[in-house]
């Protein structure tokens, strides 16, 4: 789920024209040269010889999804408090970020489950109904974000698999 697209420049074996193509690691595509119409198969293979800074950037980017959700929860709780529309927008902003960076949509759902557990614990032990309700609202919005991201991810995969079937 956390795969990154690879973009490669491929030279046509017949005429030498360079063609840019994108795909996921392990994916095989049929590439057609725009100049001479020659078709060929190309398999996208991840470059194993990444330098250290690229690997560190990849690790930081993968951890960013977890941090973003925590930031949105904290901003919603401490900055917006009872402003429902601002809370809604702060959670909604996660959707384009998760879709653009292709973060795993299950992350907000995991946080939603955690927020539901915190809501129950707050109600059981602290008897503070307003905070428990606020945690439940955060859980609801996190579920909306997670399900939307997973739906977009599913539709994206369906579109790429249809493209493979039509070109193959």
């Amino acid at each position: 789920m956390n795969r990154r697209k690879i973009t490669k420049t491929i030279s046509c074996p017949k005429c030498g024209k360079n063609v840019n193509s994108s795909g996921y690691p392990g994916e095989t595509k049929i590439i057609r040269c725009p100049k001479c119409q020659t078709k060929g198969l190309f398999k996208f293979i991840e470059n194993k010889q990444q330098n250290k800074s690229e690997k560190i950037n990849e690790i930081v980017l993968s951890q960013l999804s977890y941090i973003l959700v925590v930031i949105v929860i904290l901003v919603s709780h401490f900055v917006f408090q009872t402003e429902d529309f601002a809370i809604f927008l702060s959670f909604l902003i996660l959707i384009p970020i998760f879709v653009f960076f292709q973060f795993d949509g299950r992350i907000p759902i995991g946080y939603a489950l955690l927020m539901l557990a915190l809501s129950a614990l707050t109600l059981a032990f602290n008897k503070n109904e307003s905070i428990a309700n606020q945690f439940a609202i955060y859980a609801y919005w996190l579920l909306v974000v997670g399900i939307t991201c997973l739906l977009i991810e599913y539709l994206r995969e369906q579109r790429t698999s249809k493209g493979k079937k039509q070109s193959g």
Side-chain angles (χ1 to χ4, degrees):
M1 298 259 179
N2 207 5
R3 300 184 311 165
R4 303 260 184 253
K5 258 193 174 179
I6 300 170
T7 302
K8 295 285 184 176
T9 301
I10 305 153
S11 292
C12 176
K14 192 171 182 182
C15 70
K17 171 89 172 148
N18 288 332
V19 178
N20 289 330
S21 185
S22 297
Y24 293 101
E27 180 181 3
T28 303
K29 275 189 172 179
I30 296 174
I31 310 291
R32 182 185 299 257
C33 177
K35 187 175 180 184
C36 67
Q37 302 302 315
T38 301
K39 282 197 234 177
L41 286 176
F42 184 80
K43 184 170 184 174
F44 291 90
I45 300 171
E46 196 168 14
N47 185 5
K48 298 293 181 188
Q49 297 175 340
Q50 290 178 324
N51 61 26
K52 283 186 179 182
S53 64
E54 286 177 347
K55 287 183 181 180
I56 290 171
N57 287 342
E58 191 175 306
I59 291 169
V60 168
L61 192 60
S62 69
Q63 298 303 314
L64 183 63
S65 59
Y66 296 97
I67 295 167
L68 279 173
V69 175
V70 170
I71 289 171
V72 167
I73 292 170
L74 292 175
V75 166
S76 294
H77 190 70
F78 292 111
V79 176
F80 300 133
Q81 294 172 355
T82 58
E83 298 175 34
D84 292 336
F85 188 69
I87 291 171
F88 164 71
L89 290 179
S90 66
F91 280 97
L92 204 60
I93 195 103
L94 286 173
I95 294 171
I97 294 171
F98 268 66
V99 169
F100 179 77
F101 288 107
Q102 296 181 353
F103 292 145
D104 193 348
R106 296 175 295 182
I107 294 169
I109 293 174
Y111 275 104
L113 295 173
L114 179 66
M115 294 306 292
L116 283 174
L118 283 174
S119 176
L121 290 173
T122 301
L123 198 55
F125 295 112
N126 198 6
K127 307 283 190 239
N128 192 337
E129 192 174 327
S130 65
I131 291 177
N133 286 340
Q134 204 63 34
F135 286 163
I137 291 169
Y138 298 157
Y140 169 76
W141 287 122
L142 287 168
L143 284 172
V144 169
V145 168
I147 290 170
T148 305
C149 290
L150 287 174
L151 177 65
I152 292 170
E153 188 175 316
Y154 172 76
L155 293 173
R156 182 184 288 161
E157 287 176 6
Q158 290 300 311
R159 188 179 67 207
T160 58
S161 68
K162 279 185 182 178
K164 282 183 191 178
K165 288 178 184 177
Q166 288 177 353
S167 66

